[in-house]
Amino acid sequence: MENHQAMGVGGTVSDNGILLGKRHFLFCREQTLHVEGWSFQAAPGFKIIAGGSANPFKTLISLYRDTDKVAQLCLTHRRTESQLSIEAVASDISLEVSAANRTVSVEDKG
């Protein structure tokens, strides 16, 4: 994990006294991030952040260019596999998904 930095946000208590839980994020400084058997490859200039979902059966994957979020994906975990869904993609980027290889790559259109 030398290329990844884990960030944790501690549990908090709501006004109703309900423990809201702990969320973990995985921030990747390199161009490839591996999450739940999937590889996410980003072109130079893009950043990948994984995690942050309050649902333990889902992992959110966010792709950023500078400070702008350009794509949001979601891995839903099942018993023996995970399903990838694309929630949002900016019109000026290219997102290529290979389900057979379990890879996702993102780059600028051009």
Side-chain angles (χ1 to χ4, degrees), residues 22 28 30 52-53 57 66 74 76 83 86 89 93 102 104:
K22 199 175 217 183
C28 182
E30 297 297 320
S53 174
F57 298 107
D66 297 322
C74 181
T76 304
Q83 178 182 0
I86 301 168
V89 178
I93 69 163
R102 301 186 92 181
V104 177

Side-chain angles (χ1 to χ4, degrees), residues 66-82:
D66 297 322
T67 58
D68 298 325
K69 185 185 279 191
V70 295
Q72 173 90 23
L73 297 90
C74 181
L75 279 173
T76 304
H77 312 292
R78 308 244 191 243
R79 290 183 181 167
T80 58
E81 60 184 44
S82 56

